[in-house]
Short mmCIF file of all heavy atoms in Angstrom, two decimals:
data_model
loop_
_atom_site.label_atom_id
_atom_site.label_comp_id
_atom_site.label_asym_id
_atom_site.label_seq_id
_atom_site.Cartn_x
_atom_site.Cartn_y
_atom_site.Cartn_z
N HIS A 1 118.99 104.83 104.18
CA HIS A 1 117.91 105.00 103.21
C HIS A 1 118.25 106.18 102.30
O HIS A 1 118.00 107.35 102.66
CB HIS A 1 116.59 105.27 103.93
CG HIS A 1 116.17 104.19 104.88
ND1 HIS A 1 116.07 102.86 104.51
CD2 HIS A 1 115.82 104.23 106.20
CE1 HIS A 1 115.68 102.14 105.55
NE2 HIS A 1 115.52 102.94 106.58
N PRO A 2 118.82 105.95 101.13
CA PRO A 2 119.16 107.04 100.22
C PRO A 2 117.91 107.83 99.82
O PRO A 2 116.78 107.33 99.91
CB PRO A 2 119.77 106.31 99.01
CG PRO A 2 120.20 104.99 99.55
CD PRO A 2 119.23 104.64 100.62
N LEU A 3 118.12 109.06 99.35
CA LEU A 3 117.01 109.94 99.01
C LEU A 3 116.04 109.33 98.01
O LEU A 3 114.82 109.41 98.22
CB LEU A 3 117.55 111.27 98.48
CG LEU A 3 116.49 112.32 98.10
CD1 LEU A 3 115.63 112.67 99.31
CD2 LEU A 3 117.17 113.57 97.54
N PRO A 4 116.50 108.70 96.91
CA PRO A 4 115.52 108.10 95.97
C PRO A 4 114.62 107.08 96.64
O PRO A 4 113.42 107.02 96.36
CB PRO A 4 116.42 107.44 94.92
CG PRO A 4 117.70 108.18 94.99
CD PRO A 4 117.89 108.53 96.43
N LEU A 5 115.18 106.28 97.55
CA LEU A 5 114.38 105.27 98.25
C LEU A 5 113.34 105.92 99.15
O LEU A 5 112.19 105.48 99.21
CB LEU A 5 115.31 104.37 99.07
CG LEU A 5 114.61 103.19 99.73
CD1 LEU A 5 114.29 102.13 98.69
CD2 LEU A 5 115.49 102.59 100.82
N ARG A 6 113.75 106.99 99.84
CA ARG A 6 112.80 107.67 100.72
C ARG A 6 111.65 108.29 99.93
O ARG A 6 110.48 108.23 100.35
CB ARG A 6 113.52 108.76 101.52
CG ARG A 6 114.30 108.22 102.72
CD ARG A 6 115.04 109.34 103.43
NE ARG A 6 116.31 109.63 102.79
CZ ARG A 6 116.91 110.81 102.83
NH1 ARG A 6 116.34 111.83 103.44
NH2 ARG A 6 118.08 110.98 102.25
N ILE A 7 111.96 108.88 98.79
CA ILE A 7 110.90 109.47 97.96
C ILE A 7 109.93 108.38 97.50
O ILE A 7 108.71 108.54 97.61
CB ILE A 7 111.52 110.18 96.74
CG1 ILE A 7 112.31 111.41 97.19
CG2 ILE A 7 110.42 110.58 95.74
CD1 ILE A 7 113.08 112.08 96.06
N MET A 8 110.47 107.26 97.02
CA MET A 8 109.59 106.16 96.57
C MET A 8 108.77 105.60 97.72
O MET A 8 107.60 105.23 97.53
CB MET A 8 110.44 105.07 95.91
CG MET A 8 111.01 105.47 94.56
SD MET A 8 111.94 104.14 93.73
CE MET A 8 113.47 104.13 94.68
N HIS A 9 109.37 105.53 98.90
CA HIS A 9 108.64 105.01 100.07
C HIS A 9 107.43 105.86 100.40
O HIS A 9 106.32 105.36 100.57
CB HIS A 9 109.58 104.94 101.27
CG HIS A 9 108.91 104.53 102.54
ND1 HIS A 9 108.29 105.42 103.39
CD2 HIS A 9 108.75 103.31 103.12
CE1 HIS A 9 107.79 104.79 104.42
NE2 HIS A 9 108.05 103.50 104.29
N TRP A 10 107.62 107.19 100.47
CA TRP A 10 106.51 108.05 100.88
C TRP A 10 105.49 108.24 99.77
O TRP A 10 104.30 108.42 100.05
CB TRP A 10 107.06 109.39 101.37
CG TRP A 10 107.82 109.22 102.66
CD1 TRP A 10 109.14 109.37 102.87
CD2 TRP A 10 107.27 108.81 103.93
NE1 TRP A 10 109.48 109.10 104.18
CE2 TRP A 10 108.36 108.76 104.85
CE3 TRP A 10 105.98 108.50 104.37
CZ2 TRP A 10 108.17 108.40 106.19
CZ3 TRP A 10 105.81 108.13 105.71
CH2 TRP A 10 106.89 108.09 106.59
N VAL A 11 105.92 108.17 98.52
CA VAL A 11 104.95 108.14 97.41
C VAL A 11 104.10 106.89 97.53
O VAL A 11 102.87 106.93 97.37
CB VAL A 11 105.67 108.18 96.04
CG1 VAL A 11 104.70 107.86 94.91
CG2 VAL A 11 106.29 109.55 95.81
N ASN A 12 104.75 105.78 97.84
CA ASN A 12 104.02 104.51 97.97
C ASN A 12 103.04 104.55 99.13
O ASN A 12 101.95 103.98 99.04
CB ASN A 12 105.00 103.36 98.16
CG ASN A 12 104.38 102.02 97.87
OD1 ASN A 12 103.81 101.80 96.80
ND2 ASN A 12 104.48 101.10 98.82
N VAL A 13 103.41 105.21 100.22
CA VAL A 13 102.49 105.34 101.36
C VAL A 13 101.20 106.02 100.92
O VAL A 13 100.09 105.54 101.19
CB VAL A 13 103.15 106.14 102.50
CG1 VAL A 13 102.11 106.52 103.56
CG2 VAL A 13 104.27 105.34 103.14
N ALA A 14 101.32 107.16 100.23
CA ALA A 14 100.15 107.91 99.78
C ALA A 14 99.33 107.10 98.78
O ALA A 14 98.10 107.03 98.87
CB ALA A 14 100.58 109.24 99.16
N VAL A 15 100.03 106.47 97.82
CA VAL A 15 99.33 105.72 96.77
C VAL A 15 98.61 104.51 97.35
O VAL A 15 97.47 104.21 96.98
CB VAL A 15 100.32 105.28 95.68
CG1 VAL A 15 99.65 104.34 94.68
CG2 VAL A 15 100.86 106.50 94.93
N MET A 16 99.25 103.80 98.30
CA MET A 16 98.61 102.62 98.88
C MET A 16 97.37 103.00 99.67
O MET A 16 96.37 102.26 99.66
CB MET A 16 99.60 101.89 99.78
CG MET A 16 100.71 101.15 99.04
SD MET A 16 100.10 100.02 97.77
CE MET A 16 99.09 98.92 98.73
N LEU A 17 97.39 104.14 100.35
CA LEU A 17 96.20 104.59 101.05
C LEU A 17 95.06 104.84 100.08
O LEU A 17 93.89 104.48 100.34
CB LEU A 17 96.51 105.86 101.86
CG LEU A 17 97.35 105.67 103.12
CD1 LEU A 17 97.69 107.02 103.73
CD2 LEU A 17 96.61 104.79 104.13
N VAL A 18 95.38 105.46 98.94
CA VAL A 18 94.36 105.71 97.91
C VAL A 18 93.84 104.39 97.36
O VAL A 18 92.63 104.18 97.23
CB VAL A 18 94.94 106.59 96.79
CG1 VAL A 18 93.98 106.63 95.59
CG2 VAL A 18 95.21 108.00 97.28
N MET A 19 94.75 103.48 97.01
CA MET A 19 94.36 102.21 96.40
C MET A 19 93.52 101.36 97.34
O MET A 19 92.52 100.77 96.93
CB MET A 19 95.61 101.44 95.97
CG MET A 19 96.40 102.10 94.85
SD MET A 19 95.45 102.26 93.32
CE MET A 19 95.31 100.55 92.82
N ILE A 20 93.92 101.29 98.60
CA ILE A 20 93.20 100.44 99.55
C ILE A 20 91.81 100.99 99.85
O ILE A 20 90.81 100.27 99.76
CB ILE A 20 94.02 100.28 100.85
CG1 ILE A 20 95.27 99.44 100.57
CG2 ILE A 20 93.17 99.62 101.95
CD1 ILE A 20 96.27 99.43 101.72
N THR A 21 91.74 102.27 100.19
CA THR A 21 90.44 102.84 100.58
C THR A 21 89.48 102.96 99.39
O THR A 21 88.27 102.77 99.55
CB THR A 21 90.62 104.22 101.24
OG1 THR A 21 91.39 105.07 100.36
CG2 THR A 21 91.35 104.09 102.56
N SER A 22 90.00 103.24 98.20
CA SER A 22 89.12 103.26 97.02
C SER A 22 88.71 101.84 96.66
O SER A 22 87.58 101.61 96.21
CB SER A 22 89.82 103.93 95.84
OG SER A 22 90.98 103.21 95.44
N GLY A 23 89.61 100.88 96.87
CA GLY A 23 89.27 99.48 96.63
C GLY A 23 88.15 99.01 97.54
O GLY A 23 87.29 98.22 97.11
N TRP A 24 88.13 99.50 98.75
CA TRP A 24 87.03 99.14 99.66
C TRP A 24 85.69 99.70 99.15
O TRP A 24 84.65 99.07 99.31
CB TRP A 24 87.34 99.67 101.06
CG TRP A 24 88.45 98.93 101.74
CD1 TRP A 24 88.99 97.73 101.36
CD2 TRP A 24 89.18 99.34 102.89
NE1 TRP A 24 89.99 97.36 102.21
CE2 TRP A 24 90.14 98.32 103.17
CE3 TRP A 24 89.12 100.44 103.73
CZ2 TRP A 24 91.02 98.40 104.24
CZ3 TRP A 24 90.00 100.52 104.80
CH2 TRP A 24 90.93 99.51 105.05
N GLY A 25 85.73 100.88 98.55
CA GLY A 25 84.51 101.43 97.97
C GLY A 25 84.01 100.60 96.81
O GLY A 25 82.80 100.38 96.66
N ILE A 26 84.94 100.10 95.98
CA ILE A 26 84.56 99.24 94.86
C ILE A 26 84.01 97.91 95.39
O ILE A 26 83.01 97.39 94.88
CB ILE A 26 85.78 98.99 93.95
CG1 ILE A 26 86.29 100.30 93.38
CG2 ILE A 26 85.42 98.01 92.82
CD1 ILE A 26 87.65 100.20 92.70
N TYR A 27 84.67 97.38 96.40
CA TYR A 27 84.25 96.11 96.99
C TYR A 27 82.81 96.18 97.50
O TYR A 27 82.01 95.26 97.29
CB TYR A 27 85.20 95.74 98.13
CG TYR A 27 84.69 94.63 99.02
CD1 TYR A 27 84.99 93.30 98.72
CD2 TYR A 27 83.90 94.90 100.14
CE1 TYR A 27 84.51 92.27 99.53
CE2 TYR A 27 83.43 93.89 100.94
CZ TYR A 27 83.73 92.57 100.64
OH TYR A 27 83.25 91.57 101.42
N ASP A 28 82.46 97.26 98.16
CA ASP A 28 81.13 97.38 98.75
C ASP A 28 80.02 97.37 97.71
O ASP A 28 78.86 97.07 98.02
CB ASP A 28 81.03 98.68 99.57
CG ASP A 28 81.58 98.49 100.99
OD1 ASP A 28 82.02 97.37 101.31
OD2 ASP A 28 81.57 99.46 101.76
N ASP A 29 80.36 97.69 96.45
CA ASP A 29 79.35 97.66 95.40
C ASP A 29 79.01 96.24 94.98
O ASP A 29 77.92 95.99 94.46
CB ASP A 29 79.87 98.45 94.19
CG ASP A 29 78.80 98.67 93.15
OD1 ASP A 29 77.77 99.30 93.48
OD2 ASP A 29 79.00 98.22 91.99
N ASP A 30 79.92 95.31 95.21
CA ASP A 30 79.69 93.90 94.87
C ASP A 30 80.55 93.06 95.80
O ASP A 30 81.67 92.67 95.46
CB ASP A 30 80.05 93.63 93.40
CG ASP A 30 79.72 92.21 92.97
OD1 ASP A 30 79.04 91.49 93.73
OD2 ASP A 30 80.17 91.81 91.87
N VAL A 31 80.03 92.78 96.98
CA VAL A 31 80.83 92.17 98.04
C VAL A 31 81.24 90.75 97.68
O VAL A 31 80.55 90.05 96.94
CB VAL A 31 80.08 92.18 99.39
CG1 VAL A 31 79.74 93.60 99.81
CG2 VAL A 31 78.83 91.32 99.32
N ILE A 32 82.36 90.32 98.21
CA ILE A 32 82.85 88.96 98.04
C ILE A 32 82.44 88.10 99.23
O ILE A 32 81.99 86.98 99.07
CB ILE A 32 84.38 88.96 97.87
CG1 ILE A 32 84.76 89.65 96.55
CG2 ILE A 32 84.94 87.54 97.92
CD1 ILE A 32 86.26 89.80 96.35
N VAL A 33 82.62 88.64 100.43
CA VAL A 33 82.22 87.95 101.65
C VAL A 33 80.83 88.44 102.03
O VAL A 33 80.64 89.60 102.40
CB VAL A 33 83.22 88.22 102.81
CG1 VAL A 33 82.78 87.46 104.06
CG2 VAL A 33 84.63 87.83 102.39
N ARG A 34 79.85 87.55 101.92
CA ARG A 34 78.46 87.94 102.16
C ARG A 34 78.28 88.54 103.56
O ARG A 34 78.71 87.97 104.54
CB ARG A 34 77.54 86.74 101.98
CG ARG A 34 76.05 87.06 102.02
CD ARG A 34 75.21 85.81 101.83
NE ARG A 34 75.49 85.20 100.54
CZ ARG A 34 74.91 85.56 99.40
NH1 ARG A 34 74.02 86.55 99.40
NH2 ARG A 34 75.20 84.95 98.28
#
């Protein structure tokens, strides 16, 4: 795993956590599954 790949991997880990958990907050405002 070269250094550029490792940096992108861990940036993606942090970003995906933000995207998923914030997406759940948006979802709760107008749910899809009743």
Side-chain angles (χ1 to χ4, degrees):
H1 301 306
L3 181 59
L5 186 75
R6 281 177 277 153
I7 292 174
M8 289 184 285
H9 175 273
W10 292 112
V11 168
N12 198 54
V13 168
V15 172
M16 288 307 301
L17 287 174
V18 169
M19 294 298 291
I20 291 170
T21 54
S22 62
W24 289 346
I26 299 169
Y27 166 90
D28 276 0
D29 190 60
D30 185 11
V31 301
I32 293 175
V33 181
R34 188 179 299 275

